Amino acid sequence: MTIVDAKIHPALMGSLSPNVTVDEVINFSPGPTSLPAAVEKTIADSFQTPGLTSLALSHRSPEFLAILNHAAASVRSVMSIPDDYEVLFMHGGGHGQFAAVPLNLCRDPSDIATYVINGTWSLRGKDEAQKYCRAQVVDGSDPETGAYTSFPDLTEADIHPNSKYVYLCSNETVNGIELHRLPKLPDSRRHIPLVIDASSDFSTKPIDWVNSGVGVLFACASKNIGHPGLTLVVVRKDLIGTGKASPLCPGVFNYTTNRDAENLWNTPATFNIEVVGHVMDWIQREGGVDEIECRCIAKAKALYDVIDGSSGFYSTPVTNKSQRSRMNVPFNICGGDEDLTNQFLIRSWEKGMIGLRTLTPFGVGDHLRASLYNGVTLEQTHHLATFMRRFCEKYS
Amino acid sequence: MTIVDAKIHPALMGSLSPNVTVDEVINFSPGPTSLPAAVEKTIADSFQTPGLTSLALSHRSPEFLAILNHAAASVRSVMSIPDDYEVLFMHGGGHGQFAAVPLNLCRDPSDIATYVINGTWSLRGKDEAQKYCRAQVVDGSDPETGAYTSFPDLTEADIHPNSKYVYLCSNETVNGIELHRLPKLPDSRRHIPLVIDASSDFSTKPIDWVNSGVGVLFACASKNIGHPGLTLVVVRKDLIGTGKASPLCPGVFNYTTNRDAENLWNTPATFNIEVVGHVMDWIQREGGVDEIECRCIAKAKALYDVIDGSSGFYSTPVTNKSQRSRMNVPFNICGGDEDLTNQFLIRSWEKGMIGLRTLTPFGVGDHLRASLYNGVTLEQTHHLATFMRRFCEKYS
């Protein structure tokens, strides 16, 4: 490769093709990103195996129905989803669910829903929901800076008793805030179902479905459980049924029609569903979601320890350590020094560490971000931690 | 395999795993189905090549942007799409577009749209649209039988002058009716844009975009151009823009937001888009869409000739030969004789010919269907034609 001589260095343009052989590449992208190596091998092998791949299977064939049923059963098993919840595979990504949630749970646009805002994605979810319901906000922004640096406490006064649901994003990828366990609503509001955008942390920690009062949980596939083009939706059965959704809900987003058609209301994303099944199989083989959580804690600790031990050379915006994201570790170098940041990006890229800055339109400013999804190992994370420590020693 | 001894024969259950080695399998599924063999090889090779596959690429990386831009440019080139049309890659399949079309083109639910109904899919499109506009129907069903066996003539009286669009499905997969060229509206209605559901025939024949008055054309990917999880939308630029869509249009279905974000309003189905690019490259290499159309004509003729020459042993419901589908050839054996139909399915399955009957909920009755998408070659179609001829000789 000669592109390192280009006027603008490829590492600074978010290039994912570093100057190393592929075995050394470590993908810290915020998603889409690499799947666990074993899963990537399973997929590659499936294209070398005689027979039709799921790219070519009719969604109504017994062969695909076996894949679909396996994926749904594996998700249910890995995440201990109780029988009174449905597992749906839908189209439209997380953004599709931003509309689907109010369209399914608010039959009338005058219905109230409560949105807890602690970052980019909960804000975007609320903006979309306002088309379909009266979205009332619990604002988690810092009163002085306006930044999102922690998850707000939820009090009785925050939540209208007639609210159809309380919506929250359990991991804000851009802001680096994560709920390691779901919050409990105040006693007088425990009748209200939680709606969880778990797009970036689903399958990385256990969920106490019943005691947390989860009504709906959704996850786009492209962070921890697959690749884009598929959305997993887990919905409590009592929340769906004929006449419950808004008459304006597109059929493709309607939980009831999709449940009634057993995920075949329209052609589902067949191959994408197969991949989710492979990821769930991998989690089972590795020891289940408790083991995955241990790894996530260890991976995140490796980086936060370097940041906290750098005497301010590195800083991270989330001050409440108990809410720091294990999935996405945002950090600054010397308060966002441009030259040092560029040096960091170029040198790490040359060592095969990619995805530490993506050119998003979401104004993450000068933050870098290391995303530690299921595809990233503890050993790979230690590579980055070691690099960060040495970089700090050299330039601080 | 021993499943042939099962009480219900796998061939009758729509199994796609016949009793032959994989090189001999011929996939006549109505979709999802096999891609051209060369494209399947390209995909398989991509998983053996060093570097990240598009499963793992951030949608904002320069590497994926090159894939996205290539796919869009190739679609534009292969289908001669004029500059005043946008090419969008969206979520939600054809069913998503059933809602997206009225939500983008009818700002107010009192707006009128005209739906030409000539089969299962145009009917389903109309049913969904009625949530968002006043859908007026041009009914193409047979007045006596109620069956859809031809595409109706479009007269001035059929189309309200204020209709926001005239909607039609250019190939009805279940009913076997295809418009080999788009119709022209009556002179007094030429100002009204056509909306085309081309899910099952896009890329198999040229489209005269401007003279036909195409406003929107959409195609789910899983028939001729890719695999499920992606929808291609081509939309005339003057039909989109701020304030044109209904305020109730979900952002993920909004043509304007997706155009403004250059197909990155939310995470697109990255790998699925790469596959569409591979299919378009294949069409270019094979000689372009005119060559593909010649092959489609020859493939369909091979089967219809057997049907028409069978002295009634085989029959097909579409009597107007100029509207017979080249994509999906529906046929009966001896008026739907159950024993003969089962014999046909089992014997053809044993020879590796699969997908001739899928267990759909759409009431195709006793029809079999041979689907002849881009993944099926003329030689493979001749195998089926020969089998059909011999089966007729043996049992008629």
Side-chain angles (χ1 to χ4, degrees), chain A residues 283-359:
Chain A
I283 292 176
Q284 289 283 37
R285 287 198 308 272
E286 296 293 309
V289 71
D290 293 327
E291 167 63 21
I292 298 296
E293 183 176 41
C294 289
R295 296 182 192 179
C296 290
I297 291 170
K299 287 189 285 183
K301 183 174 187 302
L303 299 191
Y304 286 117
D305 279 354
V306 174
I307 293 167
D308 292 338
S310 71
S311 305
F313 183 79
Y314 299 112
S315 58
T316 184
V318 180
T319 44
N320 183 340
K321 290 189 181 182
S322 71
Q323 292 179 0
R324 281 178 170 177
S325 174
R326 302 165 181 163
M327 299 294 110
N328 316 91
V329 179
F331 60 99
N332 268 335
I333 304 174
C334 291
D337 180 276
E338 190 178 335
D339 285 343
L340 276 177
T341 301
N342 288 348
Q343 274 296 320
F344 185 96
L345 281 170
I346 292 170
R347 296 299 154 234
S348 56
W349 182 86
E350 286 172 345
K351 289 179 182 295
M353 290 177 271
I354 60 174
L356 292 165
R357 188 172 71 186
T358 46
L359 302 175

Side-chain angles (χ1 to χ4, degrees), chain B residues 66 92 113 308 346 374:
Chain B
D308 292 338
I346 292 170
N374 281 337

Side-chain angles (χ1 to χ4, degrees), chain B residues 40-317:
Chain B
E40 293 193 340
K41 184 170 185 316
T42 300
I43 295 167
D45 289 349
S46 75
F47 284 101
Q48 302 294 322
T49 308
L52 302 182
T53 70
S54 70
L55 295 183
L57 289 178
S58 163
H59 58 303
R60 299 196 186 278
S61 66
E63 288 80 1
F64 176 70
L65 295 183
I67 289 170
L68 175 65
N69 292 336
H70 172 75
S74 298
V75 170
R76 194 179 282 281
S77 167
V78 163
M79 292 307 298
S80 302
I81 300 173
D83 286 344
D84 55 339
Y85 289 80
E86 300 285 351
V87 174
L88 304 176
F89 294 104
M90 300 184 74
H91 291 271
H95 281 76
Q97 291 303 309
F98 294 167
V101 163
L103 283 164
N104 277 277
L105 303 185
C106 297
R107 185 159 171 81
D108 193 276
S110 67
D111 286 346
I112 295 168
T114 304
Y115 278 73
V116 186
I117 309 299
N118 63 313
T120 301
W121 299 111
S122 45
L123 193 59
R124 243 173 119 131
K126 184 268 296 175
D127 287 347
E128 185 78 357
Q130 283 177 323
K131 299 176 182 172
Y132 312 109
C133 68
R134 284 167 58 200
Q136 297 186 342
V137 163
V138 182
D139 183 17
S141 65
D142 184 298
E144 287 183 24
T145 65
Y148 297 104
T149 55
S150 69
F151 191 89
D153 289 331
L154 300 176
T155 66
E156 190 177 273
D158 289 328
I159 304 166
H160 194 287
N162 293 338
S163 188
K164 291 287 181 183
Y165 56 89
V166 173
Y167 179 103
L168 55 91
C169 176
S170 52
N171 182 64
E172 284 281 2
T173 60
V174 175
N175 314 83
I177 301 167
E178 180 177 348
L179 290 169
H180 301 138
R181 288 296 180 268
L182 294 176
K184 277 194 180 149
L185 297 182
D187 282 348
S188 65
R189 301 294 183 263
R190 298 283 327 262
H191 61 286
I192 303 175
L194 288 184
V195 172
I196 315 292
D197 174 0
S199 289
S200 53
D201 58 349
F202 186 71
S203 84
T204 70
K205 59 198 169 198
I207 292 173
D208 187 349
W209 299 87
V210 174
N211 287 322
S212 304
V214 177
V216 176
L217 178 144
F218 65 87
C220 70
S222 59
K223 312 289 189 182
N224 281 297
I225 63 169
H227 66 285
L230 180 70
T231 321
L232 179 75
V233 178
V234 183
V235 55
R236 214 173 62 203
K237 290 178 180 174
D238 65 295
L239 296 175
I240 57 179
T242 306
K244 294 214 172 183
S246 161
L248 296 171
C249 185
V252 75
F253 285 157
N254 189 306
Y255 300 153
T256 303
T257 56
N258 281 272
R259 186 270 313 265
D260 290 349
E262 297 180 344
N263 281 306
L264 300 177
W265 189 76
N266 69 336
T267 310
T270 48
F271 174 66
N272 307 55
I273 291 172
E274 181 179 15
V275 170
V276 170
H278 291 323
V279 173
M280 292 299 138
D281 291 344
W282 173 82
I283 292 176
Q284 288 282 35
R285 287 198 306 272
E286 295 294 306
V289 71
D290 292 328
E291 168 62 20
I292 299 296
E293 182 175 41
C294 289
R295 295 182 192 180
C296 291
I297 292 170
K299 287 188 285 183
K301 184 174 186 302
L303 299 192
Y304 286 118
D305 278 356
V306 174
I307 293 167
D308 292 338
S310 71
S311 305
F313 182 79
Y314 299 113
S315 58
T316 185

Side-chain angles (χ1 to χ4, degrees), chain B residues 324-376:
Chain B
R324 281 177 170 176
S325 174
R326 301 163 181 165
M327 299 294 110
N328 316 91
V329 179
F331 60 100
N332 268 334
I333 304 174
C334 291
D337 180 274
E338 191 179 332
D339 284 343
L340 276 177
T341 302
N342 288 348
Q343 273 297 320
F344 186 96
L345 281 169
I346 292 170
R347 297 299 154 234
S348 56
W349 183 86
E350 288 172 344
K351 290 178 181 296
M353 288 177 273
I354 61 174
L356 292 165
R357 188 173 71 187
T358 45
L359 302 175
T360 75
F362 303 121
V364 290
D366 39 25
H367 281 164
L368 303 181
R369 255 194 305 171
S371 296
L372 308 174
Y373 299 127
N374 281 337
V376 177

